[in-house]
Amino acid sequence: MIELIRTNDAVIISFVEALLRDAGIGSFTADENMSVLDGSIGILPRRIMIDADDADEARQLLADAGIEHEIRRK
């Protein structure tokens, strides 16, 4: 799995999860429980992880939705 995005923004997380789900791309949101442990003050970002085989399609999906700035680059 690779990291598609990393953010503290719950709205972006929900939006990306919905986009991926609707496109049939499996994803996993990592660090969801850790963000709760930090008291929801936003110190620990959550990460959306996807299969490397879906990376190009997922990146294009986010670009088409106008949120390509959220894509994690290595």
Side-chain angles (χ1 to χ4, degrees), residues 9-64:
D9 189 328
V11 174
I12 294 290
I13 292 285
S14 295
F15 183 52
V16 171
E17 287 173 335
L19 287 172
L20 294 173
R21 183 179 49 250
D22 290 349
I25 299 173
S27 68
F28 170 74
T29 303
D31 304 322
E32 223 168 4
N33 293 327
M34 291 304 293
S35 67
V36 171
L37 291 176
D38 78 6
S40 297
I41 58 175
I43 294 173
L44 300 172
R46 288 176 278 173
R47 299 173 292 146
I48 294 189
M49 310 295 289
I50 60 169
D51 189 353
D53 293 339
D54 295 324
D56 291 338
E57 182 181 358
R59 288 182 180 121
Q60 185 61 52
L61 188 65
L62 269 58
D64 292 346

Side-chain angles (χ1 to χ4, degrees), residues 2 10 24 26:
I2 64 164

